Amino acid sequence: PAGSDLIAILISLEPQEILYRLISLDYFIAINKVSEFACHISGCRAVFSTLDEYEHHYNSLHRHVCCSCRRSLPSARLLDIHIQEWHDSLFTILAQKQDMYLCLVEGCGQKFRTSQQRKDHLIRVHKYPPDFRFDKSRKEKGSEQKADATMEAAGDVCRSEGACRVMCSIEPEQVEEEEESMETVYSVFSHRVPKTVCFGHGSVRGFRGHRGKRK
Amino acid sequence: MWRLKKVCHKAGRHAGSQEELRLRRREKERALRQARRDSQLVSKRLLLNEDEEQDSMEITPGEQDVVRLLQQLQHSGTEKEALLGALSKALRSPSAQLTFIKLENSMHLLVSLLSGSDARRRLLAVRCLHELSHSPHASVASAFLPATPYLLTYLSGQSTKFTELCLYTLGNVCPDGEAVKERLLAQGIIPALASCMQNQRHSLAVVEAAGFALFQLLQTKDAAQKVIPMVLASDLPSLLLSVLTPDPEFGLAPAVECAWCLHSLTSSTEDHRVLLAQGALRKCSSLLVSLGGAVGDGNTEQGIELLVCPLLRCVGNLLPSCPVEALSAQLGDVHLVAPLCQFVFAFLQPLPALAREAAWVLNNLTAHCTESCAALLTFNLVPRLVELLPFSQGINTMVLRVLANVAHKKKEFCTRLAELGLLSAITATLKMANQDMVTLSLELLFMMIVNSPQVCKEIF
């Protein structure tokens, strides 16, 4: 596209999206010279040899990330639900008096008083398995080190107080999966990865812009 | 056919030599096109890796490799990715597929990788599942039940390649048995498909895959009662219509898939109010106009008939449901008569069945709408139609019906038809062996005699 069109497109994007697209462009150009390149998200050490791989990695793990607990969710909708239920104190208050737990199946729309009731509904009506990975209740936080490989929080994420919020990062490669441990073999380009990426005031959550309360 | 390199159909897999492979593929494609046109077809798709050429088929590993690979996967640490790659290749053989699902914890392993936090492994796991979905054995589909909630959840994600694979996998297993279909419906496949098409409509590959998955769902048993009402209530009809215009760079494929979905929707039910309200008639008609122009000019892409056919059927089915008063509002200034005739003439030799369908739509149009009858006369299409009267395969009866519709509408039309030499054509058709032709000719002659004094003068 023409220069002005490009600028118009870039301006309309969320900051994270801009970075992602510039990186894609950058690496798309660089890919002829460099055989491998690294994920630019702070703390993530994944390395790729094709843009497709990077796109998949980025979209799967860095797109719908909760800024409060660094968990990665598979979709914007599940992220919204997660933030409401885990990090929204207003939700907790309202939930004492009315049905607030939304069914995870899009289009169903039913709400429940507790997460257990919702889970029962998912199993009974929507034929979900009892161990569905994306329906962890908050109480299970402590016990989920081994079993839940999906929503693991990152280890050494940078945090900062004050006006600036650091971009979410996640280190899936350090997660224990089943019973094995992953060896990290990806540190080749980590010196090129910036330590923190900062986008100014407010809480940024994935691509969704400013929403939710700061802790 | 579109995306020949990337998408291959089932039969091309198991031939011995390359030549045999090519021949079988071509035969399968021909059969596919034919079957698609004649009846509802359930087919499976296999999405190949970008770096794989369809013709470079190595000797596929046997069943024992699958057993060995599974064992290694269950015990290995760092080599999982290479093993998964090997497993997906091994799962191309139908016997290996059957063996795999019977092994203990095999699907459990794939599902846990699919739902895990490692993106690369998710992709490799879904690739294995995709190969499995291609199995001709219905028993494999029921092994998919643990995977379905994850496949559906990921449809709302943003990774295009991954979403494509999930969609093709779902589309492949949909028709393979009631249990899978019921499960998918309960888990919300229809809203999931709608939001997938909405969120990723910029990616035509994903749109094509979603269209395929929806089409497969629409072919399942009792779809008219169990699936179609939900689809019509969702955003899918308007999404399908918005994708109909083919993208010149990407090609026809997404439009073709969506058009066939629309065809399934219009042909399975008689209540077309939802589709008419969404402007389906206008959209399909205007697309037919532009395609008719292309066909008439001779610039047609390979496979264009796969888009023309479902559109013709949609329009043909929607026309009778549209009240006459609303017709001009629905169609607007779309003049269908000329492109329909274009299709009849252009497809007459290569695809007579399609020519007949175009004539059928013309019949429905002229039966319903006086303006179209007038247009036939104004655009001087009648003499060319009359030339078609000797052709068999149902074309001449359809053309005669069209002419009868014209004669029926207005007295002046009869006079005009007589002036164009229809009488001498009728004298020929009255002598035909085909009984329908004779009956129709008599009816047409009767109408002309009753309506037009000039005709009487000519005859007697």
Side-chain angles (χ1 to χ4, degrees):
Chain A
S4 55
D5 293 336
L6 194 56
I7 291 171
I9 292 169
L10 287 175
I11 288 172
S12 70
L13 300 171
E14 295 287 342
Q16 182 65 11
E17 181 98 30
I18 296 174
L19 182 67
Y20 167 56
R21 289 192 187 271
L22 287 173
I23 291 167
S24 304
L25 195 62
D26 175 29
Y27 282 126
F28 187 69
I29 295 166
I31 201 161
N32 290 315
K33 304 173 205 159
V34 182
S35 59
E36 276 192 331
F37 55 100
C39 181
H40 251 188
I41 295 301
S42 163
C44 181
R45 299 202 210 148
V47 165
F48 319 97
S49 50
T50 68
L51 199 58
D52 269 357
E53 272 182 70
Y54 177 44
E55 192 245 7
H56 170 64
H57 166 87
Y58 194 93
N59 284 319
S60 301
L61 297 175
H62 298 311
R63 268 243 176 190
H64 309 114
V65 178
C66 174
C67 252
S68 307
C69 65
R70 311 290 182 267
R71 277 173 175 77
S72 166
L73 280 297
S75 68
R77 186 167 178 278
L78 287 178
L79 177 63
D80 281 352
I81 292 174
H82 162 83
I83 287 176
Q84 258 206 321
E85 295 177 8
W86 287 50
H87 306 295
D88 187 347
S89 37
L90 184 61
F91 177 92
T92 320
I93 294 169
L94 286 173
Q96 287 160 8
K97 300 188 193 124
Q98 56 189 182
D99 297 342
M100 295 287 288
Y101 287 88
L102 185 60
C103 174
L104 298 185
V105 173
E106 198 164 348
C108 176
Q110 287 199 44
K111 292 191 179 177
F112 303 89
R113 185 56 65 92
T114 66
S115 62
Q116 185 59 45
Q117 282 175 11
R118 177 190 47 209
K119 182 169 169 151
D120 290 338
H121 163 84
L122 282 174
I123 295 170
R124 237 179 343 101
V125 175
H126 298 295
K127 317 278 195 282
Y128 265 52
D131 60 349
F132 187 59
R133 291 273 176 93
F134 305 122
D135 179 26
K136 293 288 175 220
S137 70
R138 226 180 148 171
K139 292 192 208 82
E140 293 169 22
K141 247 159 84 165
S143 62
E144 69 190 15
Q145 297 307 333
K146 275 190 186 173
D148 175 15
T150 314
M151 287 173 33
E152 281 299 328
D156 57 344
V157 177
C158 308
R159 287 176 201 269
S160 67
E161 267 62 58
C164 221
R165 271 271 177 179
V166 173
M167 210 51 233
C168 308
S169 66
I170 186 164
E171 291 196 82
E173 278 74 24
Q174 287 187 356
V175 164
E176 295 239 349
E177 205 167 314
E178 307 286 333
E179 273 77 46
E180 303 97 40
S181 63
M182 274 284 302
E183 285 170 18
T184 43
V185 293
Y186 301 133
S187 49
V188 178
F189 289 97
S190 55
H191 65 278
R192 291 172 56 187
V193 176
K195 271 268 175 285
T196 68
V197 176
C198 185
F199 287 109
H201 299 269
S203 161
V204 185
R205 167 170 56 75
F207 287 104
R208 307 283 293 170
H210 305 278
R211 207 193 128 174
K213 300 183 170 54
R214 280 172 47 190
K215 288 226 151 131
Chain B
M1 251 164 98
W2 67 96
R3 302 188 79 204
L4 216 42
K5 285 199 188 63
K6 290 195 183 166
V7 180
C8 84
H9 296 276
K10 225 171 32 163
R13 275 284 162 200
H14 314 296
S17 72
Q18 285 199 13
E19 189 51 55
E20 212 180 0
L21 198 70
R22 255 182 242 123
L23 281 171
R24 286 182 69 162
R25 179 170 29 119
R26 239 172 260 140
E27 186 46 54
K28 184 71 181 177
E29 283 161 26
R30 208 176 308 139
L32 194 73
R33 261 178 255 171
Q34 185 62 39
R36 261 242 159 120
R37 275 199 300 281
D38 293 346
S39 65
Q40 292 170 341
L41 174 77
V42 169
S43 67
K44 288 185 187 261
R45 302 279 174 89
L46 187 71
L47 201 61
L48 291 172
N49 251 328
E50 247 91 47
D51 47 8
E52 285 179 45
E53 278 301 313
Q54 188 174 351
D55 288 337
S56 64
M57 302 287 295
E58 310 126 27
I59 318 272
T60 52
E63 299 168 24
Q64 287 313 307
D65 294 295
V66 168
V67 178
R68 178 182 51 83
L69 284 167
L70 180 64
Q71 277 172 350
Q72 287 175 320
L73 271 167
Q74 279 163 335
H75 297 112
S76 83
T78 50
E79 290 141 19
K80 272 205 163 63
E81 286 162 29
L83 290 168
L84 283 169
L87 181 62
S88 68
K89 287 206 173 65
L91 286 172
R92 284 192 188 151
S93 120
S95 54
Q97 288 159 359
L98 271 178
T99 308
F100 184 79
I101 55 162
K102 291 179 186 147
L103 294 169
E104 201 177 323
N105 286 332
S106 54
M107 288 304 281
H108 175 78
L109 175 78
L110 284 183
V111 172
S112 65
L113 289 166
L114 178 72
S115 57
S117 61
D118 185 317
R120 211 176 248 138
R121 291 178 186 185
R122 277 189 203 170
L123 186 60
L124 291 165
V126 88
R127 207 169 267 291
C128 291
L129 287 169
H130 179 64
E131 295 287 348
L132 271 172
S133 74
H134 209 239
S135 164
H137 299 283
S139 54
V140 175
S142 40
F144 267 85
L145 293 174
T148 53
Y150 297 106
L151 293 170
L152 289 174
T153 304
Y154 290 136
L155 294 188
S156 315
Q158 293 287 336
S159 166
T160 47
K161 192 65 182 178
F162 188 68
T163 313
E164 252 188 284
L165 282 164
C166 290
L167 285 164
Y168 279 115
T169 306
L170 286 166
N172 281 342
V173 300
C174 260
D176 284 345
E178 279 299 290
V180 181
K181 181 198 81 179
E182 294 292 327
R183 183 68 66 100
L184 288 171
L185 287 172
Q187 288 172 347
I189 186 173
I190 292 173
L193 283 172
S195 79
C196 180
M197 276 191 86
Q198 175 68 35
N199 294 337
Q200 295 220 45
R201 60 189 180 284
H202 53 274
S203 165
L204 289 173
V206 173
V207 170
E208 178 189 345
F212 168 71
L214 180 60
F215 181 77
Q216 296 285 92
L217 189 62
L218 289 167
Q219 308 318 302
T220 54
K221 202 167 77 100
D222 299 328
Q225 292 86 38
K226 293 189 181 169
V227 179
I228 291 187
M230 282 199 272
V231 172
L232 289 174
S234 73
D235 289 333
L236 279 166
S238 60
L239 286 165
L240 292 170
L241 287 169
S242 70
V243 182
L244 270 190
T245 315
D247 182 275
E249 272 185 46
F250 192 86
L252 294 173
V256 169
E257 296 298 340
C258 292
W260 281 97
C261 289
L262 285 165
H263 156 63
S264 294
L265 291 172
T266 55
S267 61
S268 309
T269 164
E270 298 201 0
D271 182 2
H272 297 135
R273 278 172 297 173
V274 171
L275 288 167
L276 285 170
Q278 304 268 1
L281 189 54
R282 177 197 276 267
K283 184 79 205 219
C284 295
S285 306
S286 51
L287 191 51
L288 279 173
V289 169
S290 43
L291 289 171
V295 166
D297 291 340
N299 355 318
T300 53
E301 282 176 66
Q302 196 191 11
I304 201 168
E305 68 275 11
L306 283 160
L307 184 54
V308 171
C309 179
L311 289 173
L312 281 175
R313 291 179 177 188
C314 280
V315 173
N317 281 325
L318 286 171
L319 277 171
S321 304
C322 183
V324 182
E325 320 75 65
L327 202 58
S328 51
Q330 284 281 341
L331 283 175
D333 47 2
V334 174
H335 295 294
L336 269 176
V337 167
L340 287 173
C341 291
Q342 287 278 23
F343 291 132
V344 178
F345 305 140
F347 291 127
L348 193 63
Q349 300 295 352
L351 298 164
L354 198 53
R356 187 179 65 233
E357 294 207 25
W360 165 68
V361 181
L362 192 59
N363 168 65
N364 283 7
L365 183 63
T366 48
H368 211 44
C369 168
T370 315
E371 282 81 24
S372 57
C373 299
L376 266 179
L377 291 164
T378 320
F379 297 148
N380 203 24
L381 290 162
V382 172
R384 286 203 69 188
L385 284 174
V386 168
E387 284 168 30
L388 295 174
L389 287 173
F391 284 86
S392 61
Q393 302 204 39
I395 291 184
N396 48 11
T397 43
M398 209 48 85
V399 169
L400 210 48
R401 280 182 204 279
V402 172
L403 296 168
N405 289 340
V406 176
H408 180 70
K409 282 285 191 271
K410 276 188 183 176
K411 296 192 179 184
E412 306 83 73
F413 291 166
C414 290
T415 319
R416 286 280 292 129
L417 285 172
E419 286 166 14
L420 289 166
L422 189 58
L423 283 173
S424 50
I426 292 180
T427 46
T429 57
L430 277 169
K431 296 180 209 160
M432 283 184 177
N434 185 333
Q435 199 169 12
D436 288 331
M437 282 301 283
V438 175
T439 318
L440 283 165
S441 311
L442 285 170
E443 286 178 14
L444 181 53
L445 190 57
F446 177 74
M447 272 193 285
M448 289 181 70
I449 292 173
V450 162
N451 287 328
S452 172
Q454 280 93 319
V455 168
C456 294
K457 274 190 228 159
E458 260 191 66
I459 295 176
F460 300 112

